[in-house]
Short mmCIF file of all heavy atoms in Angstrom, two decimals:
data_model
loop_
_atom_site.label_atom_id
_atom_site.label_comp_id
_atom_site.label_asym_id
_atom_site.label_seq_id
_atom_site.Cartn_x
_atom_site.Cartn_y
_atom_site.Cartn_z
N VAL T 32 44.41 422.71 23.26
CA VAL T 32 43.07 422.28 22.84
C VAL T 32 42.41 421.50 23.97
O VAL T 32 42.88 420.43 24.37
CB VAL T 32 43.15 421.46 21.54
CG1 VAL T 32 41.77 420.94 21.16
CG2 VAL T 32 43.73 422.30 20.42
N LYS T 34 39.18 420.42 24.22
CA LYS T 34 37.87 419.81 23.93
C LYS T 34 37.64 418.51 24.72
O LYS T 34 36.52 418.14 24.97
CB LYS T 34 37.71 419.56 22.44
CG LYS T 34 38.64 418.53 21.86
CD LYS T 34 38.47 418.47 20.34
CE LYS T 34 39.46 417.49 19.74
NZ LYS T 34 39.84 417.85 18.38
N ASN T 55 36.73 423.17 19.82
CA ASN T 55 36.22 423.06 18.46
C ASN T 55 34.71 423.20 18.34
O ASN T 55 34.22 423.38 17.25
CB ASN T 55 36.77 421.84 17.72
CG ASN T 55 36.31 420.55 18.31
OD1 ASN T 55 35.85 420.53 19.45
ND2 ASN T 55 36.41 419.48 17.55
N ILE T 76 38.40 426.45 16.86
CA ILE T 76 39.22 425.77 15.85
C ILE T 76 38.43 424.79 15.00
O ILE T 76 38.95 424.26 14.03
CB ILE T 76 40.40 425.03 16.53
CG1 ILE T 76 39.88 423.99 17.53
CG2 ILE T 76 41.32 426.03 17.24
CD1 ILE T 76 40.99 423.14 18.14
N GLY T 77 37.16 424.54 15.35
CA GLY T 77 36.37 423.55 14.61
C GLY T 77 35.41 424.19 13.62
O GLY T 77 35.20 425.41 13.64
N MET T 158 44.89 428.32 8.11
CA MET T 158 44.91 427.15 9.00
C MET T 158 44.73 425.90 8.17
O MET T 158 44.03 425.93 7.15
CB MET T 158 43.77 427.29 10.01
CG MET T 158 43.64 426.15 11.00
SD MET T 158 42.59 424.79 10.42
CE MET T 158 41.57 424.51 11.85
N ILE T 160 44.59 421.29 8.57
CA ILE T 160 44.71 420.04 9.32
C ILE T 160 45.33 419.03 8.37
O ILE T 160 44.79 418.79 7.29
CB ILE T 160 43.33 419.54 9.80
CG1 ILE T 160 42.63 420.60 10.67
CG2 ILE T 160 43.46 418.21 10.54
CD1 ILE T 160 41.19 420.26 11.02
N MET T 200 49.41 419.52 15.16
CA MET T 200 48.65 418.99 16.28
C MET T 200 49.56 417.99 17.02
O MET T 200 50.75 417.90 16.73
CB MET T 200 47.36 418.33 15.78
CG MET T 200 46.57 419.29 14.93
SD MET T 200 45.13 418.72 13.99
CE MET T 200 44.46 417.34 14.82
N THR T 201 48.99 417.25 17.96
CA THR T 201 49.82 416.33 18.76
C THR T 201 50.74 415.46 17.91
O THR T 201 51.92 415.33 18.21
CB THR T 201 48.91 415.44 19.65
OG1 THR T 201 48.33 416.27 20.66
CG2 THR T 201 49.70 414.32 20.31
N ASN T 202 50.19 414.90 16.85
CA ASN T 202 50.98 413.93 16.08
C ASN T 202 52.03 414.54 15.17
O ASN T 202 52.95 413.85 14.75
CB ASN T 202 50.05 413.08 15.20
CG ASN T 202 49.34 412.03 16.02
OD1 ASN T 202 49.78 411.67 17.11
ND2 ASN T 202 48.22 411.54 15.50
N ARG T 216 48.11 423.66 17.54
CA ARG T 216 46.91 423.35 18.32
C ARG T 216 47.07 421.95 18.91
O ARG T 216 46.95 420.96 18.20
CB ARG T 216 45.68 423.41 17.41
CG ARG T 216 45.59 424.66 16.52
CD ARG T 216 44.40 424.58 15.57
NE ARG T 216 44.38 423.35 14.79
CZ ARG T 216 44.95 423.20 13.59
NH1 ARG T 216 45.56 424.21 12.99
NH2 ARG T 216 44.91 422.03 12.97
N VAL T 217 47.37 421.91 20.20
CA VAL T 217 47.74 420.63 20.80
C VAL T 217 46.79 420.24 21.93
O VAL T 217 46.61 421.01 22.88
CB VAL T 217 49.20 420.67 21.32
CG1 VAL T 217 49.58 419.34 21.95
CG2 VAL T 217 50.16 421.02 20.19
N GLY T 218 46.17 419.08 21.80
CA GLY T 218 45.26 418.58 22.83
C GLY T 218 45.82 417.38 23.57
O GLY T 218 46.25 417.46 24.72
N ARG T 219 45.85 416.26 22.90
CA ARG T 219 46.17 414.98 23.55
C ARG T 219 47.54 414.95 24.24
O ARG T 219 47.68 414.34 25.30
CB ARG T 219 46.07 413.83 22.55
CG ARG T 219 44.61 413.46 22.22
CD ARG T 219 44.52 412.47 21.10
NE ARG T 219 45.12 413.03 19.88
CZ ARG T 219 45.87 412.34 19.03
NH1 ARG T 219 46.11 411.07 19.23
NH2 ARG T 219 46.36 412.93 17.96
N ALA T 220 48.51 415.60 23.66
CA ALA T 220 49.84 415.57 24.27
C ALA T 220 49.84 416.27 25.64
O ALA T 220 50.75 416.06 26.44
CB ALA T 220 50.88 416.22 23.35
C1 PLP K 301 41.14 418.29 18.38
C2 PLP K 301 41.78 419.24 17.48
C3 PLP K 301 43.14 419.55 17.63
C4 PLP K 301 44.03 418.89 18.67
O1 PLP K 301 44.30 417.58 18.32
P1 PLP K 301 45.28 416.65 19.19
O2 PLP K 301 45.56 415.52 18.31
O3 PLP K 301 44.50 416.30 20.41
O4 PLP K 301 46.47 417.47 19.51
C5 PLP K 301 43.69 420.50 16.77
N1 PLP K 301 42.95 421.10 15.80
C6 PLP K 301 41.64 420.82 15.63
C7 PLP K 301 40.89 421.50 14.55
C8 PLP K 301 41.02 419.88 16.46
O5 PLP K 301 39.72 419.60 16.29
#
Side-chain angles (χ1 to χ4, degrees):
V32 177
K34 66 185 177 209
N55 67 342
I76 60 175
M158 179 271 227
I160 302 172
M200 306 171 28
T201 290
N202 283 339
R216 312 175 307 269
V217 179
R219 285 172 299 140

